[in-house]
Amino acid sequence: MRLRHGSGETVHLGYCTNVHPAEDLTGILAQLDTYALPVRQRLGADLLGLGLWLAAPVAAALAADPAARLRLRAELDARGLEVVTLNGFPYRAFQAPVVKGDVYHPDWTTADRLAYTLDLATVLTDLLPDDAARGSISTLPLAWRTPWDRSSAEAAARRLDALATGLAERERRTGRRIRVGFEPEPGCVVESSTQAALLLSGMDTERLGICLDLAHLACAWEEPADALTRLRSAGLPVVKVQVSAAIAVADPVAAADALGRYVEPRFLHQTRAAGCAGQVDPADPAYAADDLDAALRAGLPGAWRVHYHVPLHAPPEPPLDSTVPVLRTALTELFAGPVAGCDHLDVETYTWGVLPAARRPTDDAELADGIAAELTFARDELTALGLTAVRTVEAA
């Protein structure tokens, strides 16, 4: 979906396909018909944006095959789907039975992560709509925080320099700009805006910046206005926003049984207590745990926020809640002013398949219903801030 900000800038809104398991071109095309096309039809939209996730093998195959890229673009066009952004965080097997810490490998100290991201840039250049101002790719915030030392930082810096060079070469060749956003996440080398300002401000910020995940922002107990001011002061552009919400709980002791229903084996659910707010190291074990079951065992003090993406339109059952208020505040900071704070928005709830049984979709149609409801929620939040829906014929 496209919306227009009061400045006249087009804002692209879509959903991230890392909720689906397909990892080859045949499977990706099938998921377009199973989920994306029904979502677009449920919304009554003439155009639906996708934050496409391509696992490393299919990204490499597409990067090496211009004809396959053109075929994928044609298949998207035929279904009224567009891609301006790719999710380049998970390397592969993101919907495997157990993912946990594997999602952070390979990291930005490695040649594999660089090659994967440049493959994605090659693919995205051919998928971009002709009238899109630019493309974006989200990626991990360097690495998981351990092990990390000076040699790791130096290796990552070399990869980021090579990434900027590779993106610039592609831009000179094609005339299309692709930007990469590093996504602060709990437990990683870059978890907060403070760490981003300290560790990423030396990047080539014409092509490299921040992917702001609003659930992660909430889990770090950051105030959106302060975080955005800190990023701007460091010269770090927000190239992409993931519109997401985490679990919030005011009294974890009283809510222990309800929280226990969200303990599951696939993903990490890093948990942060309110005491981490403003800390340079939010992962200090005094107020942090690397998974929800560990937090329940540790009995972290005070209110918690849990890195568990929950449906935007359907908060968890009481006594649990969601961080939608942080999402709302962040969108206001980004879009209520005279200039749009970002033009690529991605609804990223990848956890539908691991929700407690009573809240989990039972079939493909219910999942499409849920994704459509989330997109409706996000669209309504943006239109309440004054953005207006744009029809494809008008956008063209």
Side-chain angles (χ1 to χ4, degrees):
M1 292 185 287
R2 297 185 182 191
L3 301 102
R4 182 162 293 133
H5 185 263
S7 63
E9 188 169 4
T10 297
V11 174
H12 299 265
L13 171 65
Y15 87 92
C16 184
T17 66
N18 64 358
V19 65
H20 309 312
E23 296 196 16
D24 57 41
L25 187 55
T26 299
I28 289 166
L29 294 177
Q31 79 187 19
L32 298 182
D33 289 327
T34 302
Y35 304 107
L37 183 56
V39 167
R40 182 179 70 76
Q41 293 168 340
R42 283 161 169 75
L43 292 168
D46 59 337
L47 188 67
L48 175 66
L50 301 181
L52 199 61
W53 175 60
L54 300 173
V58 71
L62 285 166
D65 188 346
R69 298 198 298 274
L70 293 177
R71 178 193 171 201
L72 178 55
R73 168 69 183 274
E75 297 283 1
L76 291 164
D77 290 346
R79 294 166 174 81
L81 306 171
E82 72 170 7
V83 173
V84 299
T85 187
L86 299 178
N87 189 319
F89 197 130
Y91 190 76
R92 64 189 309 172
F94 189 56
Q95 293 294 335
V98 179
V99 178
K100 298 293 184 182
D102 288 347
V103 74
Y104 306 108
H105 299 285
D107 62 31
W108 274 104
T109 66
T110 70
D112 285 345
R113 176 60 62 172
L114 172 63
Y116 172 47
T117 308
L118 289 175
D119 283 344
L120 291 175
T122 298
V123 174
L124 183 55
T125 296
D126 278 349
L127 297 187
L128 280 178
D130 294 340
D131 61 345
R134 55 190 156 254
S136 65
I137 300 168
S138 50
T139 189
L140 70 159
L142 300 183
W144 187 249
R145 70 183 184 280
T146 57
W148 186 261
D149 56 19
R150 181 175 178 179
S151 65
S152 302
E154 291 172 349
R158 292 193 296 271
R159 304 300 180 199
L160 268 55
D161 287 344
L163 173 64
T165 298
L167 294 173
E169 289 173 351
R170 283 159 176 76
E171 185 174 347
R172 283 192 295 271
R173 189 169 65 248
T174 67
R176 310 305 300 269
R177 173 163 290 190
I178 306 296
R179 300 192 294 176
V180 173
F182 295 82
E183 181 184 333
E185 175 164 320
C188 292
V189 172
V190 179
E191 172 163 346
S192 66
S193 62
T194 298
Q195 291 170 322
L198 287 171
L199 298 173
L200 297 176
S201 58
M203 299 188 303
D204 172 1
T205 53
E206 287 189 20
R207 295 172 184 86
L208 307 181
I210 298 297
C211 171
L212 192 65
D213 185 297
L214 302 185
H216 301 175
L217 182 76
C219 287
W221 291 85
E222 295 203 76
E223 291 295 331
D226 293 343
L228 288 166
T229 297
R230 196 170 291 117
L231 294 174
R232 292 183 190 117
S233 296
L236 293 170
V238 177
V239 305
K240 176 177 179 178
V241 173
Q242 287 178 331
V243 186
S244 57
I247 292 174
V249 55
D251 185 348
V253 174
D257 288 345
L259 285 167
R261 290 192 284 274
Y262 285 83
V263 173
E264 57 84 24
R266 182 173 299 167
F267 302 114
L268 278 183
H269 299 297
Q270 304 93 310
T271 302
R272 299 291 180 265
C276 80
Q279 300 292 330
V280 173
D281 179 15
D284 187 306
Y287 36 71
D290 286 338
D291 213 342
L292 177 55
D293 56 347
L296 289 166
R297 290 193 300 271
L300 301 176
W304 293 1
R305 289 175 180 171
V306 183
H307 176 220
Y308 195 124
H309 289 209
V310 292
L312 303 182
H313 65 292
E317 66 281 3
L320 306 182
D321 203 346
S322 80
T323 59
V324 160
V326 178
L327 177 157
R328 256 190 207 109
T329 301
L331 292 181
T332 300
E333 292 292 333
L334 286 160
F335 295 105
V339 177
C342 183
D343 59 346
H344 292 176
L345 300 180
D346 216 7
V347 171
E348 198 215 17
T349 304
Y350 56 83
T351 48
W352 285 98
V354 297
L355 288 170
R359 305 179 70 82
R360 191 182 309 158
T362 59
D363 57 26
D364 293 340
E366 283 194 6
L367 178 54
D369 288 342
I371 293 169
E374 285 199 291
L375 283 164
T376 298
F377 176 96
R379 180 182 61 190
D380 290 349
E381 292 293 322
L382 292 166
T383 56
L385 293 172
L387 281 74
T388 54
V390 176
R391 303 294 292 181
T392 305
V393 291
E394 180 184 348

